[in-house]
Amino acid sequence: MHRSKLSRSILLALGLVSAGGAIAADAGTADTSSSGSHTAPTQLDAMLVTGTRASNRTQFETLAPVDVFTKQDIQSVDSTDLKDVLAQLVPSFVVQRLPMADGQVFVRPATLRGLSPDQTLVLVNGRRFHRSALLGNRGAQAADLAQIPTSAIKRIEVLRDGASAQYGSDAIAGVINIILEDSPGTEITAGYSQYAQGDGASRDFSARTGWALGDYGSLALFAESSNSDATSRTRQRPDAIAFQAAHPELEVPNPVQRWGQPELESRRVGFNLKANASDTLELYAFGLYSHSDGVSDFNWRNPDTTTGAYRTTSIFPGWNLRSLYPVGFSPQYGNTQNDLQLVAGLRGEITPKLRWDLSASYGRNAIDYSLDNSINASLGPDSPTSFDLGRLTQTEKNANADFNYEWDVAALSKPINVAFGAEFRQETYQVRAGDPASYAVGPGAAAGLEANSNGAPGFSASQAGTWDQRSKAAYVDMEVPLGERWSIGAAGRYEDFSSFGSTVDGKLSARFAITPDVALRGTLSTGFRAPTPAQLNTTSTTQGLDTRTLQIFTSGRLSPSDPLAQLLGAKPLTPEESRTASLGLTWRTDMGLSGSVDVYRITLSDRFSQSASFAIPAGTPNPLGYTSVNYFTNDFDTTTTGVDVVGNYLRDLGAGRMTLTLAYNYNQTRVDNGSTSVATNETQRVLFEDRLPEHKGSFTGSWDVGAWSLMARVRYYGKWTDSTGNAAGDIYQKFGAMTFLDLAVGYRINEHHSLRVGADNVFDRYPDEATFQASRGLIYSRNAPYDTDGANVYAQYRLTF
């Protein structure tokens, strides 16, 4: 079929064809054009888009480490949540479950190399993906990978290196680039999974279809649906047992509250379009939309001890909350989320050596919160039991102009690749107030009845507002081949932000081929992460249960510009800044063995977190009844050191093909200075240094023989430390290492139909129990870096045509 000159040049620019014109293989497929000695494929020959703007870079030839995961890799993990997929595939990627953690149970924090979730940049088809509206762990505001349908993905490229000079803010830990499917054909998948304990059933359905639009381009459409039941790994709370004994006439639910994954329904759709307008112009566009609804339990309120809600007063004669909730109540926290990403652009060439790309994008994430089975006790009998808590909305607009020039220099055998361009970005954050009853301070407050919706106060009128931030940037990125062995790279970026000023960052890279199949590579770079409008301007209120007193406490997180926060020492936020150095060795052989070892050091200054908690100063108005308050701050520095080891071995075994993959990461973070290094904020130090395992790895073996495919994966997590998050004085518990075994078998019935069955955590292993959380009925730590619900069995049916 005829392919226009523009179509080929665009694919060249994206790294999807080789310089010789052949379509590039996905990872795991051989590309032996660079060396005639190769007789077996390796896993280091995939053509890349991420981390390089040169048109002829393969995974083996990059100046920084890049992992490539194919559709087959993604489908080997039984989850429609992209975070879970990456947690099993990427050694330094960790995601937590966080049951009963407000919005974080739905937008779970995910970290690369142990850094903050918002220090990893997420791209889709090479374009920046917007952030979630939620401010999560220690105020991080990151992109929510769960909004991207896994069935729409062609491959994933993970750059494990600092790249702010190339891509801008957030790319401190690395870059995750999601490449959407664009190939013709139809694939329909139906799956069912359930935990061995009989709960958490998940019903998943996905469909993808694509067409080649003659010689004029391609169109792919995606749809995905997931419906997951809740899980519960809970024992009855000791105080609930005591309450039942004291009130035998009542029937107390067992358990009174649930610790586990939320009930969640998700729907996702999307498209990916490429169309040739002429021989020198291509139009492209893609869009993703996601809608989800979820419900999670909150802590149980004990009628005998929750005096702030169950108090009787003369203000409301004859009214007692026991008439409504005689056995106490566990508020039900609801989350409705709508997520949209739209990108459109034009690209072409001025000359065969000079290509251009103009694009614009719009991203929006809106989260509506609700609370049922609750009360605003200060309103007495006038209080509703269901509340609209308000809405958080993150909106981002981007405009990009990118150019790529292949500069022929007589002294060099290959051209210098020069990329340059500019970007304009606007972020807007909006908080819509909830129902007045969700934040009202009613007449009963004067008698000690708690104000606000009990469990999660709504966003008040004073907290509501709209804030924005604009930035403009210019960059240049060069890769220079110095003969057959040496290649070097240099990148620089200038970016100016309306909220705090400008920053300049740079990157130097080099690669030396010791032999055609063994190379050294290294990078030096500076980077940054700019504070977001949400982090600069918003406040929030959360409630929790002290594990020692079993009393509800209310914490306030103030904006750094809040007068009370400034009285307590808050200062304006500034960008986090990083310095990264990495050195690696990569190799491949004609025996099918390939791999890499990369060591790195990331120094972060002015790192972003929450301050220590402060009591409200005497005489200060406290209408929300804060037990303590804190604020966002840049007040400490850290150093992260680590090593990534990746190895692959492919060979024929009997009548089939065997693949072995080893992925291991060692990652250690230490606080260098700042308030976290002193006892006044010991919790923050422990969270940064010990909350995640320093060791994480996996070993995967697969064997494809005839119509059968077999897969076994061993996952390893090192020891880590948990903390309670009490109102005052945290308690810590150390957890030992954990190893899980996953097994799966697939059978291809014919060219159209296939089945796959398997189990994650085959031996139904659980970590040590969280002893200091037993008072709340929790069995396993909610902060665990792995699933604590036990063995999960699944079956999938796939139809392709």
Side-chain angles (χ1 to χ4, degrees):
M1 182 178 68
H2 169 73
R3 179 182 286 117
S4 70
K5 181 171 73 172
L6 172 68
S7 179
R8 178 184 174 276
S9 68
I10 290 170
L11 291 173
L12 253 172
L14 289 177
L16 299 180
V17 301
S18 66
I23 295 293
D26 283 340
T29 304
D31 173 11
T32 60
S33 59
S34 63
S35 175
S37 65
H38 283 281
T39 59
T42 74
Q43 294 264 1
L44 289 179
D45 291 317
M47 299 297 290
L48 296 181
V49 177
T50 312
T52 177
R53 290 184 170 91
S55 61
N56 58 355
R57 287 286 181 199
T58 69
Q59 188 180 0
F60 175 69
E61 296 169 335
T62 56
L63 280 67
V66 181
D67 293 325
V68 180
F69 302 101
T70 67
K71 176 180 286 293
Q72 291 72 31
D73 296 324
I74 297 166
Q75 291 176 345
S76 73
V77 180
D78 175 49
S79 179
T80 59
D81 189 326
L82 184 54
K83 292 180 181 178
D84 292 329
V85 173
L86 288 170
Q88 291 203 25
L89 297 178
V90 181
S92 61
F93 191 89
V94 176
V95 61
Q96 297 169 284
R97 282 288 183 191
L98 295 179
M100 209 183 293
D102 296 355
Q104 292 184 109
V105 70
F106 303 105
V107 184
R108 297 179 296 147
T111 65
L112 187 68
R113 290 184 163 179
L115 301 183
S116 176
D118 55 5
Q119 289 169 345
T120 299
L121 177 63
V122 175
L123 309 175
V124 176
N125 282 354
R127 297 296 178 232
R128 179 183 285 264
F129 190 71
H130 59 276
R131 309 177 196 276
S132 166
L134 175 71
L135 274 68
N137 269 357
R138 300 190 306 279
Q141 188 183 6
D144 184 11
L145 287 161
Q147 303 303 321
I148 302 172
T150 56
S151 59
I153 300 174
K154 182 176 184 177
R155 70 179 186 275
I156 303 171
E157 299 177 355
V158 181
L159 171 64
R160 293 181 279 110
D161 195 45
S164 292
Q166 296 165 294
Y167 297 103
S169 179
D170 306 347
I172 290 177
V175 179
I176 297 174
N177 191 10
I178 313 299
I179 308 299
L180 299 179
E181 266 287 6
D182 57 1
S183 56
T186 299
E187 182 174 271
I188 299 173
T189 303
Y192 179 84
S193 65
Q194 182 174 291
Y195 284 95
Q197 292 200 20
D199 58 5
S202 179
R203 295 154 291 274
D204 306 312
F205 176 84
S206 66
R208 178 195 64 82
T209 188
W211 303 271
L213 305 177
D215 292 341
Y216 300 101
S218 64
L219 173 64
L221 302 177
F222 325 111
E224 193 171 276
S225 171
S226 180
N227 187 329
S228 300
D229 296 340
T231 64
S232 179
R233 301 295 175 266
T234 315
R235 294 193 183 107
Q236 183 66 302
R237 285 174 45 159
D239 60 334
I241 296 174
F243 179 81
Q244 178 70 88
H247 302 276
E249 74 282 4
L250 300 176
E251 186 175 342
V252 179
N254 187 4
V256 290
Q257 67 186 60
R258 181 186 53 81
W259 290 95
Q261 299 177 37
E263 180 181 338
L264 184 63
E265 293 185 8
S266 301
R267 306 288 184 269
R268 305 181 186 100
V269 296
F271 73 92
N272 189 20
L273 171 68
K274 299 176 184 177
N276 297 331
S278 70
D279 283 349
T280 57
L281 186 65
E282 184 188 66
L283 165 71
Y284 63 91
F286 67 87
L288 299 171
Y289 173 76
S290 174
H291 172 83
S292 62
D293 289 289
V295 178
S296 176
D297 277 19
F298 269 6
N299 286 298
W300 177 64
R301 274 59 176 167
N302 185 333
D304 285 350
T305 60
T306 311
T307 56
Y310 280 90
R311 185 188 306 269
T312 57
T313 76
S314 59
I315 297 176
F316 304 119
W319 181 79
N320 189 322
L321 190 56
R322 290 178 188 266
S323 63
L324 182 62
Y325 297 126
V327 295
F329 62 100
S330 176
Q332 302 292 293
Y333 190 61
N335 175 296
T336 298
Q337 194 163 178
N338 290 282
D339 193 274
L340 175 66
Q341 177 85 5
L342 291 172
V343 175
L346 290 169
R347 54 194 172 203
E349 60 180 34
I350 299 172
T351 71
K353 297 285 187 181
L354 179 59
R355 298 177 294 274
W356 57 271
D357 189 327
L358 303 178
S359 66
S361 68
Y362 174 86
R364 181 177 183 270
N365 179 261
I367 307 176
D368 289 275
Y369 293 112
S370 62
L371 196 68
D372 296 323
N373 199 48
S374 183
I375 197 76
N376 182 336
S378 71
L379 295 176
D382 295 329
S383 172
T385 58
S386 295
F387 302 87
D388 170 15
L389 303 182
R391 173 186 294 173
L392 303 177
T393 305
Q394 170 78 10
T395 305
E396 298 181 26
K397 301 174 184 177
N398 290 269
N400 293 82
D402 301 295
F403 300 86
N404 200 85
Y405 179 61
E406 294 182 13
W407 178 19
D408 290 317
V409 177
L412 301 175
S413 59
K414 297 179 181 179
I416 298 173
N417 194 85
V418 183
F420 56 96
E423 178 182 53
F424 172 80
R425 185 165 76 254
Q426 178 177 323
E427 291 188 53
T428 302
Y429 195 74
Q430 184 178 44
V431 177
R432 176 183 62 78
D435 292 335
S438 70
Y439 59 86
V441 181
L449 285 170
E450 292 174 340
N452 315 307
S453 49
N454 200 299
F459 302 116
S460 67
S462 63
Q463 291 174 307
T466 301
W467 305 271
D468 66 6
Q469 176 176 266
R470 296 168 302 283
S471 67
K472 42 192 180 178
Y475 74 89
V476 62
D477 188 353
M478 300 178 63
E479 294 189 21
V480 184
L482 300 176
E484 293 299 321
R485 295 196 172 197
W486 276 102
S487 56
I488 60 173
R493 186 182 186 94
Y494 169 84
E495 193 149 359
D496 183 74
F497 288 81
S498 59
S499 56
F500 60 81
S502 61
T503 179
V504 177
D505 290 277
K507 182 173 183 176
L508 297 174
S509 309
R511 181 181 183 275
F512 176 72
I514 301 172
T515 74
D517 297 320
V518 180
L520 284 170
R521 61 191 179 197
T523 65
L524 293 171
S525 65
T526 63
F528 72 102
R529 190 202 65 81
T532 68
Q535 293 165 341
L536 290 166
N537 298 285
T538 63
T539 64
S540 69
T541 303
T542 59
Q543 289 185 336
L545 184 75
D546 193 293
T547 60
R548 292 169 297 191
T549 65
L550 295 184
Q551 295 298 307
I552 301 296
F553 63 87
T554 303
S555 299
R557 194 265 302 150
L558 308 178
S559 163
S561 59
D562 185 280
L564 175 57
Q566 292 179 343
L567 176 67
L568 297 171
K571 295 180 174 56
L573 294 178
T574 60
E576 298 173 301
E577 297 183 347
S578 68
R579 298 182 299 279
T580 300
S582 69
L583 179 66
L585 176 71
T586 182
W587 67 88
R588 60 184 180 183
T589 72
D590 55 11
M591 298 171 57
L593 179 65
S594 62
S596 62
V597 177
D598 293 274
V599 296
Y600 57 88
R601 178 184 175 91
I602 305 169
T603 303
L604 271 160
S605 57
D606 296 327
R607 194 162 175 182
F608 184 84
S609 186
Q610 289 178 185
S611 71
S613 294
F614 300 92
I616 302 296
T620 303
N622 188 15
L624 294 177
Y626 287 137
T627 309
S628 61
V629 295
N630 56 49
Y631 50 83
F632 292 147
T633 181
N634 304 90
D635 70 341
F636 61 97
D637 305 332
T638 63
T639 298
T640 298
T641 56
V643 58
D644 287 316
V645 180
V646 177
N648 299 286
Y649 182 50
L650 287 76
R651 64 162 295 168
D652 293 333
L653 181 64
R657 167 58 62 88
M658 178 186 70
T659 303
L660 301 176
T661 302
L662 170 70
Y664 165 78
N665 171 255
Y666 168 76
N667 192 87
Q668 181 191 74
T669 294
R670 290 292 177 261
V671 173
D672 299 325
N673 55 63
S675 68
T676 59
S677 62
V678 297
T680 56
N681 205 352
E682 175 69 5
T683 296
Q684 291 296 316
R685 185 195 65 77
V686 171
L687 289 176
F688 273 96
E689 295 187 350
D690 302 322
R691 70 186 175 89
L692 297 176
E694 291 184 349
H695 300 270
K696 180 174 178 280
S698 66
F699 182 76
T700 305
S702 62
W703 187 38
D704 297 323
V705 52
W708 293 91
S709 62
L710 307 175
M711 189 277 290
R713 176 180 290 123
V714 177
R715 294 178 283 129
Y716 174 81
Y717 298 81
K719 62 183 182 180
W720 60 284
T721 300
D722 194 14
S723 67
T724 61
N726 277 338
D730 286 287
I731 305 171
Y732 303 103
Q733 181 178 352
K734 294 183 178 180
F735 290 88
M738 288 290 295
T739 302
F740 303 100
L741 174 65
D742 309 328
L743 296 175
V745 57
Y747 179 69
R748 189 175 65 255
I749 301 171
N750 55 41
E751 63 177 325
H752 299 300
H753 304 273
S754 63
L755 294 172
R756 188 171 190 264
V757 296
D760 292 341
N761 188 5
V762 170
F763 295 120
D764 199 28
R765 298 199 64 207
Y766 295 88
D768 296 335
E769 295 189 7
T771 55
F772 61 70
Q773 301 280 7
S775 59
R776 293 198 278 181
L778 179 66
I779 301 176
Y780 309 109
S781 172
R782 66 174 178 171
N783 298 314
Y786 36 69
D787 188 349
T788 59
D789 285 333
N792 185 53
V793 295
Y794 61 89
Q796 296 173 340
Y797 163 75
R798 181 167 287 112
L799 170 65
T800 57
F801 56 91

